[in-house]
Amino acid sequence: MSAGVISHQTAPMARDDQVYDAVRRRVVLFPLPFQGHISPMLHLAELLHARGLAVTVLHTDFNAPDPARHPEFAFVPIRETLPDGAASPETDILAQLLALNGACEAPFRDALASLLLGQRPPDPDVACVVVDGQWYTALGAASGLGLPVLTLRTESAATFRSMLAFPRLRDAGYLPIKDERLDELVAELEPLRARDLIRIDGSDEDALRGFIARIADAMRVSASGVVLNTFDAIEGLELAKIQDELSCPAFAVGPLHRMCRAPAEHSLHEPDRGCLAWLDAHPPRSVLYVSLGSVASVGPGVFEEMAWGLASSGVPFLWVVRPGSVHGTEGTPRMPDGVDEEVRSRGKVVTWAPQREVLAHKAIGAFWSHCGWNSTLESICEGVPVLAQPCFADQTVNARYLTHQWGVGLELGDVIERATVAETVRMLMTRREGDRVREKARQLKLQADQCVATSLAIDNLAQYMLSI
């Protein structure tokens, strides 16, 4: 097997005699059951289907995707049984990931084996399996059935590279992270500091390192390739260094949501589309969009400081406040007393928004984000600068790249305090510093547009799937 990053600009054009055999080949996909993972997997499915591959999606009952949105795919539930509390939004995310891997290994293997046994001509045979990169048990299970299996990494190349480096970081004394080294640059991972390495506050650090080690080990032993939702223009160096560490090819196929001709919103929440009409009434680049994503949450004190900071900033805002976004609250959190009047006069609060349409709207001037990778890519592709408030896991890596590598964002800092919030919002939305990062965001958008226009990466991935 030849190794090498299959990039957008350097990939060879498929030969005319290399045609896709839609009658005989199928790809089986297994997404992790969280919105930030389901969306890129189904975008990948759309792109592969458009290139002649039949698609079967194995999925958990927990946070199951809606088959009605994709009648062209076959959807097969694995019928897992999760431990008590594993599906609760209050459960620590690391504990959830470990529980999901443990509970889904056997049902996934059984469902995949049944699929293989049930194949009868003229049904397409299975060319390969693609599992989410967090499914280390499914990776081993698919390989054990004799199938080529690839992993889809739904985080940035920089984050994945830092995961591969964890054993060396431990040996170099960066892990566990020590207070006295928090602001020290990590030599092999610049611009990351020790404080930017993957962490989940409140989780056991040994358990987190063990989880990352299982992911890396399973991929090195069982994977026939790794698929990354990123592109060379922003992460070319990171992609090259990843390939140096792997014995299988790496495919940079992003930004996946832009590669699809008409990508559907794969949302686990119902968006409030009325916010688009509200945005229509505002001047260009005047509104701050605020969303911490589909999983991240904050404490009541941080929520109150965010609310008062927005209220005193003088800037119009559209704020996504979903159920579960504040620790210890049931249902949708209420605005702190006294903030409601400001919300009515200058802001709009919704439980969920059609984010890609919001970011593409002319009224949006910036995005206050948790810096999840999907949100990061969506902001880059629309040329929207970011106000960074990472919450956990890979978000700290993305925030550092947004602010210090690409220069398209500003940091809020580790302590969320209303006066700092108001000042930073005004800086980004109305002052020269905001103009500077907005221009860099515009330039990065042009690079993303060029990537989408010239990419051959998905074609090369599909050809590779048919060859292994």
Side-chain angles (χ1 to χ4, degrees):
M1 180 188 305
S2 61
V5 175
I6 309 300
S7 65
H8 293 70
Q9 283 75 36
T10 62
M13 179 70 75
R15 301 197 315 271
D16 291 339
D17 60 340
Q18 289 178 316
V19 295
Y20 303 119
D21 190 338
V23 176
R24 294 190 296 106
R25 308 317 301 271
R26 176 178 298 276
V27 61
V28 178
L29 309 179
F30 187 39
L32 195 75
F34 297 102
Q35 183 168 319
H37 296 255
I38 293 171
S39 291
M41 186 69 85
L42 291 182
H43 289 148
L44 178 62
E46 291 172 38
L47 292 165
L48 294 174
H49 185 268
R51 283 154 179 81
L53 284 158
V55 172
T56 295
V57 179
L58 298 183
H59 63 85
T60 59
D61 288 324
F62 171 56
N63 283 346
D66 181 3
R69 295 184 181 181
H70 283 287
E72 71 275 25
F73 304 158
F75 286 85
V76 179
I78 66 167
R79 303 303 186 199
E80 80 286 357
T81 302
L82 297 180
D84 290 344
S88 169
E90 296 296 321
T91 300
D92 171 81
I93 186 64
L94 177 59
Q96 269 193 323
L97 291 171
L98 291 168
L100 282 164
N101 269 278
C104 294
E105 179 179 10
F108 167 77
R109 182 191 297 110
D110 293 345
L112 184 57
S114 295
L115 180 68
L116 296 173
L117 288 172
Q119 286 184 161
R120 296 289 185 273
D123 291 344
D125 71 347
V126 174
C128 67
V129 180
V130 182
V131 303
D132 186 283
Q134 311 290 47
W135 284 128
Y136 58 86
T137 55
L139 179 55
S143 178
L145 290 173
L147 289 168
V149 55
L150 292 81
T151 66
L152 172 64
R153 305 302 318 184
T154 58
E155 70 280 313
S156 66
T159 297
F160 183 48
R161 184 162 72 93
S162 74
M163 295 172 72
L164 295 175
F166 256 52
R168 297 191 298 276
L169 299 180
R170 181 195 58 224
D171 295 342
Y174 290 107
L175 299 172
I177 300 171
K178 300 178 179 63
D179 288 345
E180 63 270 20
R181 301 189 73 175
L182 282 174
D183 292 312
E184 182 179 331
L185 284 173
V186 180
E188 71 169 286
L189 298 176
E190 290 192 35
L192 300 185
R193 305 159 296 179
R195 69 166 65 247
D196 302 315
L197 297 173
I198 297 170
R199 70 174 191 271
I200 301 176
D201 293 339
S203 294
D204 181 85
E205 288 194 24
D206 288 337
L208 177 60
R209 290 196 297 275
F211 174 70
I212 291 173
R214 290 188 193 102
I215 290 172
D217 290 346
M219 200 207 67
R220 292 181 192 278
V221 170
S222 301
S224 297
V226 57
V227 183
L228 298 110
N229 185 18
T230 189
F231 56 103
D232 296 337
I234 59 172
E235 294 200 284
L237 180 61
E238 289 74 15
L239 287 164
K241 291 185 176 180
I242 285 170
Q243 190 59 80
D244 288 343
E245 294 214 28
L246 301 179
S247 59
C248 62
F251 297 83
V253 298
L256 283 168
H257 75 282
R258 281 288 311 279
M259 296 296 179
C260 299
R261 287 196 178 96
E265 286 274 11
H266 302 294
S267 179
L268 297 175
H269 308 280
E270 187 63 34
D272 181 344
R273 301 191 62 82
C275 66
L276 297 172
W278 182 84
L279 287 172
D280 289 341
H282 289 78
R285 298 186 301 277
S286 65
V287 177
L288 175 68
Y289 172 54
V290 186
S291 176
L292 299 184
S294 59
V295 175
S297 59
V298 298
V302 171
F303 179 70
E304 184 167 345
E305 295 300 305
M306 291 174 67
W308 280 111
L310 286 169
S312 58
S313 70
V315 171
F317 59 89
L318 170 62
W319 189 4
V320 174
V321 181
R322 58 171 172 76
S325 59
V326 177
H327 304 325
T329 61
E330 294 184 5
T332 304
R334 295 177 55 189
M335 288 292 114
D337 292 341
V339 175
D340 284 346
E341 184 176 343
E342 292 288 346
V343 171
R344 285 193 297 272
S345 64
R346 254 189 318 104
K348 184 172 181 61
V349 177
V350 296
T351 55
W352 198 248
Q355 181 162 291
R356 288 202 300 273
E357 293 175 75
V358 167
L359 289 172
H361 198 285
K362 61 180 177 56
I364 296 299
F367 180 14
W368 180 346
S369 173
H370 66 309
C371 304
W373 187 237
N374 289 328
S375 291
T376 296
L377 284 176
E378 288 165 6
S379 63
I380 287 172
C381 288
E382 297 301 338
V384 176
V386 171
L387 187 60
Q389 184 187 345
C391 297
F392 67 94
D394 66 317
Q395 297 161 18
T396 51
V397 177
N398 302 334
R400 184 68 173 174
Y401 269 72
L402 282 162
T403 57
H404 285 76
Q405 183 77 356
W406 306 318
V408 297
L410 299 180
E411 294 177 297
L412 266 175
D414 290 337
V415 178
I416 305 300
E417 189 273 328
R418 64 188 69 182
T420 302
V421 166
E423 176 63 18
T424 310
V425 167
R426 286 191 291 264
M427 184 186 302
L428 184 57
M429 293 293 293
T430 66
R431 297 178 186 166
R432 184 173 299 176
E433 181 69 7
D435 292 338
R436 181 186 66 80
V437 296
R438 191 166 290 105
E439 174 57 24
K440 289 198 172 185
R442 186 189 70 82
Q443 294 172 6
L444 207 58
K445 178 185 185 301
L446 294 177
Q447 291 179 296
D449 290 343
Q450 183 180 20
C451 163
V452 172
T454 61
S455 175
L456 300 172
I458 290 289
D459 295 315
N460 283 281
L461 174 60
Q463 292 286 359
Y464 178 72
M465 287 176 166
L466 294 171
S467 71
I468 52 179

